């Protein structure tokens, strides 16, 4: 171009004057013709991600630097997160940003230098989830010893589900519920999350197995998805991850409660072997019988000891109560009138003995007077009157009658003779000087 300008000057023509836009366009065209789409390697710095979602950064090495932009649509396809200081290989076109006249690279894809993009994304997500505590052993739960229903999240047509079902049902006839989901491809993470949500809504599912067969890191990438990892961590019941072969590790393995090396290993882990279970039951039955026998023997001994203590206490209580009763009885006997009478009688006997001699003399004289009085009383006794033919009459109320007016005709009266009684019916009453003969 410089030669062309010199030629124009020699021919007398004036110099060509370009506008800024023309210069930028020519420079961009020259860049595209020289480089086309190119790979550029450098260190990331000045990383910025505004609200638009576009990513702006600087690529630099020891001697130079240039600006770079990664549009939002291309940034979403990255498996890893850009960071300042990262060594990066960027693919895109070189151009000049016309409004600022700034040389920059429009990146359409990028790879970390020295390590694969997927591996870097794996390490970044693993580090971030570990910092949140999703891998902590304290939050992991053991699977139930004998689950009622086992939920399995996997492809219903893959070899993994066949291996798992074959091993699990051979060990124990458990109920297995398949939640179908893609295990590979762009749609797989969302389908895995939906399958986990469907199993979470079922109350009969006791444990969940997330599984698929082996493959490359790209094949297993759905199980390194952050959405799947958080769905497993939030699942309310134990989750077993059995993804790939024994040497394969995914984020799902770290966040799950238990990792099984293979789908078949998950079948062995999730249910006990029936024969081993029967042996355990028989062993426990024997231990229970022996423990029950020992406990029963000890309980009987304790009961016998307690009964002996109670019997001894009862005997002591009865003895104390008998003594108290005897004391009370003796006190009652002392307070009883008969006891007082006995004591008074004894005192009277003593007094009687003292006066007996004096009384004997008085008794003899009084006996004579008594005999005379008895004879007088005998003469005055009603019985003596009855001996002379008289009688005693008692009215209906039992009182002795002295007047006929005390009874009425029809009353019954009793008549006492010297010998015997007469029960009489009164027919008529009146004065003795007016009573007519019957």
């Amino acid at each position: 171009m410089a030669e062309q300008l010199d030629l124009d000057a020699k021919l007398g023509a004036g110099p060509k004057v370009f506008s800024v836009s023309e210069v930028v366009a020519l420079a961009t065209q020259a860049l595209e013709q020289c480089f086309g789409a190119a790979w550029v390697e450098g260190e990331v710095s000045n990383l910025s991600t505004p609200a638009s979602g576009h990513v702006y950064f600087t690529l630099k090495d020891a001697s130079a630097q240039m600006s770079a932009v990664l549009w939002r649509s291309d940034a979403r396809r990255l498996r890893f997160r850009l960071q300042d200081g990262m060594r990066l290989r960027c693919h895109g076109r070189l151009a000049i940003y016309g409004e600022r006249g700034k040389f920059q690279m429009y990146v359409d894809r990028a790879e970390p230098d020295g390590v694969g993009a997927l591996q870097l994304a794996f390490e970044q997500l693993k580090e971030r989830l570990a910092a949140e505590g999703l891998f902590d052993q304290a939050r992991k739960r053991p699977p139930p010893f004998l689950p009622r229903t086992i939920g399995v999240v996997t492809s219903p047509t893959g070899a993994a589900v066949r291996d798992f079902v074959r091993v699990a049902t051979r060990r124990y006839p458990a109920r297995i519920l398949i939640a179908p989901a893609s295990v590979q491809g762009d749609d797989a993470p969302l389908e895995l999350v939906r399958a986990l949500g469907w199993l979470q809504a079922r109350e009969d599912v006791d444990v969940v197995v997330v599984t698929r067969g082996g493959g490359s890191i790209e094949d297993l990438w759905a199980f390194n998805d952050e959405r799947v990892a958080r769905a497993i961590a939030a699942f309310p019941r134990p989750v077993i991850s059995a993804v790939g072969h024994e040497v394969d590790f995914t984020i799902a393995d770290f966040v799950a409660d238990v990792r099984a090396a293979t789908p078949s290993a998950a079948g062995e882990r999730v249910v006990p072997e029936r024969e081993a279970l029967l042996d355990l039951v028989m062993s426990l039955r024997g231990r229970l019988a022996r423990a029950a026998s020992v406990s029963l023997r000890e309980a009987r001994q304790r009961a016998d000891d307690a009964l002996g203590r109670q019997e001894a206490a009862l005997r002591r209580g009865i003895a104390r109560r008998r003594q108290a009763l005897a004391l009370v009885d003796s006190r009652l006997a002392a307070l009883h009138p008969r006891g007082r009478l006995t004591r008074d009688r004894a005192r009277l006997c003593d007094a009687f003995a003292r006066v007996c001699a004096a009384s004997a003399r008085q008794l003899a004289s009084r006996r004579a007077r008594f005999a005379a009085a008895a004879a007088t009383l005998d003469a005055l006794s009603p019985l003596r009157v009855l001996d002379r033919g008289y009688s005693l009459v008692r009215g209906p109320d039992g009182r002795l009658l002295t007047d006929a007016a005390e009874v009425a005709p029809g009353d019954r009266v009793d008549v006492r003779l010297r010998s015997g009684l007469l029960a009489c019916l009164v027919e008529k009453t009146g004065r003795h000087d007016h009573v007519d003969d019957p």
Side-chain angles (χ1 to χ4, degrees):
M1 184 177 292
E3 294 176 355
Q4 183 64 40
L5 292 176
D6 292 341
L7 180 60
D8 291 339
K10 290 179 181 180
L11 296 175
K16 171 68 175 175
V17 178
F18 296 92
S19 66
V20 175
S21 298
E22 289 176 331
V23 172
V24 171
L26 289 172
T28 299
Q29 183 179 3
L31 285 172
E32 291 178 349
Q33 291 176 351
C34 180
F35 292 98
W39 284 94
V40 179
E41 181 179 276
E43 180 182 331
V44 176
S45 64
N46 301 321
L47 181 66
S48 173
T49 306
S52 63
H54 306 316
V55 180
Y56 300 93
F57 58 96
T58 299
L59 276 179
K60 66 179 181 178
D61 57 19
S63 304
Q65 66 179 20
M66 69 176 183
S67 298
V69 59
L70 180 65
W71 301 126
R72 178 175 60 185
S73 57
D74 295 322
R76 288 177 175 175
R77 291 196 296 268
L78 289 182
R79 299 288 190 179
F80 60 94
R81 299 174 62 187
L82 293 178
Q83 296 176 343
D84 283 328
M86 178 183 293
R87 296 286 301 176
L88 201 64
R89 291 179 181 176
C90 298
H91 180 273
R93 62 185 183 86
L94 303 174
I96 297 176
Y97 182 39
E99 293 184 5
R100 295 184 179 179
K102 183 179 181 180
F103 173 67
Q104 67 181 13
M105 181 177 187
Y106 294 91
V107 180
D108 54 28
R109 63 180 183 271
E111 295 179 356
D113 184 25
V115 64
L118 294 181
Q119 184 63 34
L120 178 60
F122 175 87
E123 296 297 338
Q124 288 178 339
L125 180 59
K126 178 182 175 183
E127 180 180 354
R128 183 153 47 88
L129 296 183
E132 294 182 23
L134 267 65
F135 302 163
D136 292 349
Q137 289 297 321
R139 61 168 298 276
K140 296 182 182 296
R141 300 152 297 187
F145 176 69
L146 196 61
R148 297 171 299 173
T149 302
I150 304 169
V152 181
V153 178
T154 189
S155 171
T157 60
V161 67
R162 293 194 297 270
D163 292 343
F164 173 82
V165 171
R166 174 177 52 81
V167 173
T169 54
R170 183 188 65 208
R171 292 172 62 84
Y172 189 83
R175 180 169 178 256
I176 298 176
L177 184 64
I178 305 297
S182 297
V183 294
Q184 185 174 334
D186 294 337
D187 296 332
L190 183 58
E191 292 190 25
L192 291 170
V193 171
R194 287 176 179 172
L196 286 167
W198 181 71
L199 290 176
Q200 181 174 341
R202 296 184 62 95
E203 296 182 356
D204 57 338
V205 175
D206 296 326
V207 63
V208 168
V209 177
V210 179
T211 185
R212 67 148 288 159
S216 64
I217 188 173
E218 292 82 5
D219 296 336
L220 305 180
W221 192 251
F223 298 90
N224 292 320
D225 189 274
E226 183 174 354
R227 293 167 294 178
V228 176
R230 295 193 180 277
I232 293 175
F235 201 83
R237 277 146 280 173
V239 177
I240 298 176
S241 175
V243 179
H245 299 302
E246 186 171 359
V247 296
D248 297 321
F249 282 89
T250 64
I251 297 297
D253 294 331
F254 293 107
V255 77
D257 296 285
V258 176
R259 177 191 180 255
T262 63
S264 298
E268 295 177 352
R269 181 66 178 83
V270 74
V271 291
E273 188 175 8
R274 179 167 47 188
E275 296 300 327
L277 186 61
L278 291 176
D279 292 342
L280 177 61
V281 169
M282 295 302 296
S283 175
L284 292 176
R285 178 181 295 178
R287 291 170 57 186
L288 180 61
R290 291 190 296 272
S293 177
V294 172
S295 298
L296 182 59
R297 185 166 58 251
E298 293 177 349
R300 284 177 176 172
Q301 184 62 45
R302 289 193 298 269
D304 291 341
D305 294 342
L307 182 59
R309 291 192 298 270
Q310 290 177 359
E311 288 180 352
L314 182 60
R315 292 193 184 97
R316 291 192 297 271
I318 292 175
R320 288 193 300 269
R321 284 169 176 77
R322 283 179 175 173
Q323 292 175 357
L325 183 60
L327 179 60
V328 171
D329 187 60
S330 63
R331 291 178 179 176
L332 288 176
L335 297 175
H336 197 277
R338 185 179 300 168
R340 291 184 178 181
L341 181 60
T342 301
R343 292 191 298 274
D344 293 343
R345 181 177 296 169
R347 288 194 294 269
L348 287 175
C349 288
D350 293 339
F352 180 75
R354 289 191 298 269
V355 299
C356 186
S359 298
R361 294 186 298 273
Q362 295 179 3
L363 182 60
S365 62
R366 290 179 180 180
R367 183 175 293 169
R369 292 195 300 272
F370 178 77
T376 301
L377 289 174
D378 184 61
L380 297 175
S381 174
L383 297 179
R384 293 298 181 184
V385 177
L386 294 180
D387 288 341
R388 294 195 296 270
Y390 292 95
S391 63
L392 297 175
V393 180
R394 295 183 183 274
D397 56 359
R399 292 184 299 106
L400 289 174
L401 300 179
T402 59
D403 192 340
E406 294 181 10
V407 294
D411 288 343
R412 290 187 177 277
V413 296
D414 294 328
V415 180
R416 171 71 182 271
L417 303 177
R418 187 178 69 86
S419 296
L421 293 173
L422 297 177
C424 301
L425 179 65
V426 178
E427 293 182 355
K428 185 184 296 186
T429 63
R431 307 297 295 177
H432 66 276
D433 52 350
H434 296 293
V435 176
D436 299 331
D437 294 332

